[in-house]
Amino acid sequence: MPDPSPHEFDLALNQVPRTGRPAVRDLHLAEEWRIGGGLNGGFLLAQIGQALRSTLTADQHPDPLALSAYYLSASAAGPASVETTVLRRGRSMSTAQASLMQADDAGRPVERIRALATYGDLVGLPDDVRTSASPPQLPPPQDCLGAELVPPDFRASAPFLDRFELRLDPATAGWAKGEPSGQGEIRGWFRLPDGREPDPLLLLLAVDALPPVTFDLGMFGWAPTLELTVHVRAAPAPGWLLVRHATRNFAGGLLEEDAEVWDSGGRLVAQSRQLARAPRPR
Amino acid sequence: MPDPSPHEFDLALNQVPRTGRPAVRDLHLAEEWRIGGGLNGGFLLAQIGQALRSTLTADQHPDPLALSAYYLSASAAGPASVETTVLRRGRSMSTAQASLMQADDAGRPVERIRALATYGDLVGLPDDVRTSASPPQLPPPQDCLGAELVPPDFRASAPFLDRFELRLDPATAGWAKGEPSGQGEIRGWFRLPDGREPDPLLLLLAVDALPPVTFDLGMFGWAPTLELTVHVRAAPAPGWLLVRHATRNFAGGLLEEDAEVWDSGGRLVAQSRQLARAPRPR
């Protein structure tokens, strides 16, 4: 039977339960999702989210509410697996653990990410919304800046950047022409290029897909994630997502990076915070 | 030999490695740390933080940098244990997992909290501080509001409230006289009453010791924590801690609660975010 979904993101999230060990799902981390020396961290979150979704859907808890990932080693393109363990099955929520594994050069198992997550049913939540936060004001996508921001030599090493459309607010993209604002903020529109609409799994990608907020501080090195926790608060409406990254506490060689994701209906659908290692001064 | 530390908080964090199973530490959750139907969540975080500290100090990584806790069931006063498993030992950081366990009424083991954490050495971090956040402005502790805010009948069920000194900014304490601001913010000064100065473990308590921010929204029910992640960014200076709790996204029966902890030197020493279940309407 042909795969009912032709969308690239869904194909990339294809996972196969291992024969005799259904808690282990085998998958392939495609080169297309590589950025620099490793796979994008948000894409890896989505893989973990997918495995947990498969595990917990039977419990009527298909959606991530909270997911915390601790990055142990850099993932590489190639075979991988996610093993899940359910810690608690509740009436309205379940909590589970997941490990993303690969093999090292000698074939020994090596853990890439350890995660904890609480899943539930976003559609079944009460419909009260008293959010006091308001979405950032950006020019419309057609007036924002796209792929032309990325230096060609960097783009060649980052096929990940071709997996989605990103339109950055010019007010937070000065770093691309050597004029970082110093505010520690990057805002932009995000969507998949092939018409695949957002869902909770895509939000896991969206919270870690933008350029690191350190670019806006004038630091262009790599800022590896140590830990990332995301709260998914609603199933997103179709259309563009609005993503805002910001940092307020750059100190001691570490920084926090907060992400907010707003859907086309103006709802704050996801919030994340990561602790990252600051880029080394050059 | 007498215990060199007479401080209540340190005595409460006494843990004994189990004979033959040093990765398991036995402890007693004292009734004094109870609030309502369970033990305070920040106190439980500190117990987990203590067990991880004991595990990782030999690796020169005594301090929590990031700690994520998923609350599985309500803890009760009485015997408990924390089991730790080191996932990765690195040069500057190590990552580990911890489980807080108790026995149920039938003596069967039941998990209270599953946690992941990355530990390092706060004193050894680079001393650059470029934090752009600024501490909230509060009246001095003597002009803030203390224990008189708590209704006597509630106090009787919450011995936890006698474990620390809390002085709330009158501007965010209107709820105590039936006039919640509706802003979703609570600010106050925090310290231990017996002169025990703050350290990274106390920060784990401080991020979840204030009244729930929902009080300032006029909701006085219980708001149980589902998940809490804290980043400890510096060893705090002696003196009062300044704690600010806020929420911006109350929706779907859930809310996020952010906490910031500032030390007496004006340094942002800890940031936390929790996902909590909203109090049921009355």
Side-chain angles (χ1 to χ4, degrees):
Chain A
M1 235 172 51
D3 189 313
S5 161
H7 297 298
E8 179 179 41
F9 181 63
D10 297 301
L11 293 172
L13 293 182
N14 183 47
Q15 301 180 347
V16 180
R18 192 174 292 177
T19 307
R21 289 187 66 194
V24 179
R25 289 176 171 78
D26 289 300
L27 58 109
H28 183 80
L29 296 176
E31 162 74 14
E32 282 74 13
W33 299 85
R34 181 172 63 81
I35 179 161
L39 278 286
N40 168 261
F43 176 63
L44 300 174
L45 271 191
Q47 290 284 3
I48 288 171
Q50 167 80 318
L52 289 165
R53 178 183 177 88
S54 302
T55 303
L56 296 170
T57 292
D59 298 288
Q60 313 300 325
H61 300 151
D63 301 316
L65 302 179
L67 196 165
S68 298
Y70 281 69
Y71 292 76
L72 302 170
S73 57
S75 300
S81 64
V82 180
E83 178 163 15
T84 59
T85 309
V86 179
L87 304 176
R88 175 180 176 272
R89 288 189 156 92
R91 191 181 52 80
S92 61
M93 298 174 190
S94 294
T95 299
Q97 176 174 302
S99 292
L100 177 69
M101 307 290 299
Q102 291 195 297
D104 69 9
D105 292 342
R108 288 179 297 247
V110 54
E111 188 164 6
R112 300 306 192 194
I113 298 176
R114 178 72 61 101
L116 295 172
T118 291
Y119 268 55
D121 176 11
L122 286 169
V123 176
L125 292 180
D127 59 3
D128 62 306
V129 178
R130 301 173 51 162
T131 303
S132 60
S134 52
Q137 299 301 308
L138 268 71
Q142 65 272 20
D143 296 334
C144 287
L145 302 170
E148 68 272 19
L149 287 176
V150 183
D153 57 335
F154 182 70
R155 191 163 200 94
S157 72
F160 172 66
L161 300 179
D162 294 319
R163 303 280 76 72
F164 56 93
E165 286 185 65
L166 183 64
R167 308 286 302 174
L168 292 181
D169 186 341
T172 66
W175 47 266
K177 45 178 182 173
E179 297 167 10
S181 84
Q183 298 295 307
E185 179 173 347
I186 291 185
R187 299 185 295 258
W189 302 97
F190 175 99
R191 71 176 177 189
L192 294 185
D194 60 3
R196 202 277 196 187
E197 295 292 358
D199 69 353
L201 287 181
L202 186 65
L203 298 178
L204 303 184
L205 173 64
V207 296
D208 199 27
L210 269 59
V213 75
T214 39
F215 281 18
D216 191 46
L217 298 175
M219 286 175 280
F220 295 99
W222 186 241
T225 304
L226 303 173
E227 177 271 333
L228 188 152
T229 295
V230 53
H231 297 170
V232 176
R233 300 296 301 279
W240 285 97
L241 296 171
L242 181 47
V243 186
R244 176 180 181 269
H245 281 211
T247 185
R248 301 165 66 236
N249 194 11
F250 183 115
L254 301 169
L255 72 149
E256 107 283 28
E257 180 171 290
D258 282 1
E260 293 178 355
V261 185
W262 302 77
D263 73 5
S264 63
R267 175 95 185 252
L268 179 51
V269 291
Q271 292 168 281
S272 76
R273 176 173 292 163
Q274 64 173 276
L275 184 66
R277 204 190 282 268
R280 297 185 204 286
R282 293 192 295 188
Chain B
M1 233 172 54
D3 189 314
S5 162
H7 297 298
E8 179 178 42
F9 181 63
D10 297 302
L11 293 173
L13 292 182
N14 184 46
Q15 302 180 346
V16 181
R18 193 174 293 177
T19 306
R21 291 187 64 195
V24 178
R25 289 177 170 77
D26 289 300
L27 57 108
H28 182 80
L29 296 176
E31 163 73 15
E32 282 74 13
W33 299 85
R34 181 173 64 80
I35 178 161
L39 279 286
N40 168 261
F43 176 65
L44 300 174
L45 272 191
Q47 290 283 3
I48 288 171
Q50 168 79 319
L52 289 165
R53 178 183 176 88
S54 301
T55 303
L56 295 169
T57 291
D59 299 286
Q60 314 297 324
H61 301 152
D63 300 316
L65 303 179
L67 196 164
S68 298
Y70 281 68
Y71 292 75
L72 302 170
S73 58
S75 300
S81 64
V82 180
E83 179 164 14
T84 60
T85 309
V86 180
L87 304 176
R88 175 181 175 273
R89 289 190 155 92
R91 189 181 53 80
S92 61
M93 298 175 191
S94 294
T95 299
Q97 175 174 301
S99 291
L100 177 68
M101 307 291 299
Q102 291 195 297
D104 69 10
D105 292 341
R108 289 178 299 246
V110 54
E111 189 164 6
R112 300 306 192 195
I113 298 177
R114 179 71 64 99
L116 294 172
T118 291
Y119 268 55
D121 176 12
L122 287 169
V123 176
L125 292 180
D127 59 4
D128 62 307
V129 178
R130 301 173 50 163
T131 303
S132 60
S134 52
Q137 299 301 309
L138 269 70
Q142 66 273 20
D143 296 334
C144 287
L145 303 170
E148 68 273 19
L149 287 176
V150 183
D153 57 338
F154 182 71
R155 190 163 201 95
S157 71
F160 171 67
L161 300 178
D162 294 318
R163 303 281 76 72
F164 56 92
E165 284 184 66
L166 182 65
R167 307 288 301 175
L168 292 181
D169 185 341
T172 66
W175 47 267
K177 45 179 181 173
E179 297 166 11
S181 83
Q183 298 295 308
E185 180 173 346
I186 291 185
R187 300 185 295 257
W189 302 97
F190 175 98
R191 71 176 179 188
L192 294 185
D194 60 3
R196 202 277 196 186
E197 294 293 355
D199 69 354
L201 287 181
L202 186 65
L203 297 179
L204 302 184
L205 173 65
V207 296
D208 199 27
L210 268 61
V213 74
T214 39
F215 281 17
D216 191 46
L217 298 175
M219 286 175 281
F220 296 98
W222 186 241
T225 304
L226 302 173
E227 176 271 333
L228 189 152
T229 295
V230 53
H231 297 171
V232 176
R233 301 296 302 277
W240 285 97
L241 297 171
L242 181 48
V243 185
R244 175 181 182 267
H245 281 211
T247 185
R248 300 166 65 237
N249 194 12
F250 183 115
L254 300 169
L255 72 150
E256 107 284 27
E257 181 171 290
D258 282 0
E260 293 177 355
V261 185
W262 302 77
D263 73 5
S264 63
R267 176 95 185 252
L268 179 50
V269 291
Q271 291 167 281
S272 75
R273 176 175 291 163
Q274 65 173 275
L275 184 65
R277 203 189 282 268
R280 298 186 202 286
R282 291 191 293 188

